[in-house]
């Protein structure tokens, strides 16, 4: 189930408690109270990835999946946005620290796109908040009013050479997304985003921010952390006896490395030998 997007400053809604009559019923994961990240127990740790609504920077192309924000290299930091009619425009970013694009987070759902691979290809499709796909026509004009994905709605995304943490968005006609900004002295309107740039430049270089829970590296790290979050008591219950410190360390390490059941069996066998030896 996809969770609704949340932004900084939003009020947290409190979950209603179950009626007393349902106390004996088996609790669902949704009904469990929030647990501190420092608390023990595997069940609590497993909740963390789905509850993480923070935003982080994509570092490699394989990071890019789920809700993203495309941060543009405008003088005033802005993001690629679309409205319900499919108009694509730049929208200044309010959730940002000291103008640093690496801290940007969306404050408006219009700044959010959902990125996914086009089936059977390495190309991406970008869906706006209103359910329509981003498109670039042969003139380089961007819109977000398409209900289907064709070559016009398919894009290559790759890292900018020699500029870590930044990306280029390329159409299938080999042109690039870029910003078109009037000189500061004559600037009376926001920058435009076009899809007809013919080469890589500062104006085609974007940062991509994404929700942390979708980032593969972070998901793997949290899964590893979840595997570590088993208490000594739980390990001793599984082993059927009190454990030495080195046995606890060995079993926790085995959970991380994938041979937990084999190591647990060895601990159980050792316990039987100690008992009857």
């Amino acid at each position: 189930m996809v969770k609704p997007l949340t932004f900084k400053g939003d009020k947290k809604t409190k979950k209603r408690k179950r009626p007393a009559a349902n106390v004996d019923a088996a609790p669902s994961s949704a009904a469990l109270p929030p647990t501190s990240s420092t608390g023990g127990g595997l069940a609590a740790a497993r909740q963390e990835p789905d509850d993480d609504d923070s935003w982080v920077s994509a570092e490699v192309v394989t990071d890019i999946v789920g809700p993203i924000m495309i941060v543009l290299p405008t003088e005033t930091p802005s993001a690629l946005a679309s409205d319900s009619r499919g108009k694509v425009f730049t929208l200044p970013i309010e959730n940002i620290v000291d103008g640093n694009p690496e801290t940007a987070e969306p404050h408006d759902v219009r700044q959010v796109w959902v990125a996914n691979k086009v089936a059977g290809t390495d190309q991406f499709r970008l869906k706006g908040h209103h359910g329509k796909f981003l498109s670039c026509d042969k003139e380089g004009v961007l819109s977000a009013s398409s209900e289907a994905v064709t070559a016009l709605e398919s894009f290559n995304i790759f890292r900018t050479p020699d500029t870590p943490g930044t990306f280029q968005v390329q159409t299938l006609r080999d042109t690039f997304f870029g910003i078109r900004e009037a000189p500061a002295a004559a600037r009376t309107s926001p920058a435009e985003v076009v899809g007809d740039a013919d080469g890589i430049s500062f104006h085609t270089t974007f940062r991509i921010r994404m929700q942390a829970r979708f980032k593969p590296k972070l998901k793997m790290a949290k899964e590893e952390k979840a595997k570590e979050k088993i208490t000594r008591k739980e390990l001793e219950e599984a082993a059927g006896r009190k454990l030495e410190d080195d046995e606890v360390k060995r079993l926790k390490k085995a959970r991380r490395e994938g041979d937990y059941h084999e190591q647990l069996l060895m601990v159980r066998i050792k316990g039987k030998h100690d008992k009857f030896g």
Side-chain angles (χ1 to χ4, degrees), residues 1-274:
M1 179 177 175
V2 178
K3 294 179 62 179
L5 293 169
T6 57
F7 304 110
K8 280 186 176 177
D10 287 355
K11 292 183 178 179
K12 298 288 186 181
T13 56
K14 293 183 178 180
K15 295 179 181 178
R16 290 188 300 174
K17 293 182 179 179
R18 285 174 171 264
N22 292 335
V23 168
D24 294 332
S28 68
S29 59
L32 293 173
T35 307
S36 167
S37 60
T38 58
L42 182 58
R46 282 178 176 160
Q47 286 185 316
E48 291 181 4
D50 289 338
D51 290 341
D52 192 348
D53 57 4
S54 61
W55 289 74
V56 297
S57 294
E59 298 171 287
V60 293
V61 174
T62 52
D63 286 344
I64 302 171
V65 66
I68 67 168
M69 176 189 192
I70 300 176
V71 182
L72 307 170
T74 48
E75 184 173 334
T76 299
S78 62
L80 185 69
S82 68
D83 63 21
S84 58
R85 295 170 297 176
K87 180 182 178 181
V88 173
F89 56 98
T90 62
L91 187 61
I93 301 169
E94 294 182 9
N95 287 344
I96 191 168
V97 178
D98 296 331
N100 182 355
E102 295 183 35
T103 68
E105 295 188 11
H107 69 276
D108 190 313
V109 73
R110 294 177 297 173
Q111 297 173 320
V112 179
W113 302 85
V114 178
N116 283 296
K117 288 284 186 73
V118 178
T121 75
D122 287 327
Q123 289 132 24
F124 287 86
R125 61 184 184 184
L126 300 173
K127 184 187 287 187
H129 68 98
H130 55 314
K132 304 294 178 64
F133 293 99
L134 180 65
S135 179
C136 180
D137 68 16
K138 61 182 181 181
E139 304 298 328
V141 177
L142 302 184
S143 62
S145 56
S146 177
E147 296 183 354
V149 177
T150 69
L152 299 180
E153 291 79 32
S154 302
F155 307 103
N156 293 310
I157 299 178
F158 58 87
R159 295 174 70 182
T160 307
D162 304 320
T163 312
T166 65
F167 298 87
Q168 305 291 320
V169 182
Q170 184 185 45
T171 72
L172 298 192
R173 295 183 306 280
D174 295 331
T175 58
F176 296 89
F177 283 20
I179 61 165
R180 186 175 292 159
E181 201 165 19
R187 194 170 300 153
T188 58
S189 58
E192 293 181 274
V193 182
V194 294
D196 61 356
D198 58 7
I200 295 174
S201 69
F202 171 79
H203 293 101
T204 68
T205 301
F206 306 150
R207 292 190 182 272
I208 295 178
R209 299 281 289 167
M210 61 182 293
Q211 288 202 318
R213 68 175 180 267
F214 291 96
K215 191 170 184 179
K217 184 190 296 184
L218 294 181
K219 286 179 72 174
M220 289 177 63
K222 288 192 174 185
E223 287 171 3
E224 293 300 317
K225 186 178 178 183
K227 289 178 181 178
E228 292 180 25
K229 284 196 172 183
I230 185 169
T231 64
R232 186 187 193 105
K233 181 180 178 182
E234 289 172 314
L235 289 173
E236 289 180 341
E237 287 175 354
R241 65 177 176 85
K242 293 287 185 181
L243 298 175
E244 301 294 333
D245 289 345
D246 64 319
E247 292 175 321
V248 172
K249 290 178 181 178
R250 178 150 54 96
L251 288 174
K252 287 188 175 184
K253 181 180 179 182
R255 285 176 64 84
R256 295 193 301 271
E257 297 180 352
D259 61 340
Y260 170 72
H261 294 290
E262 292 86 342
Q263 292 296 331
L264 179 61
L265 180 60
M266 292 176 65
V267 167
R268 285 175 174 170
I269 292 172
K270 179 180 181 296
K272 289 180 180 179
H273 288 168
D274 291 346

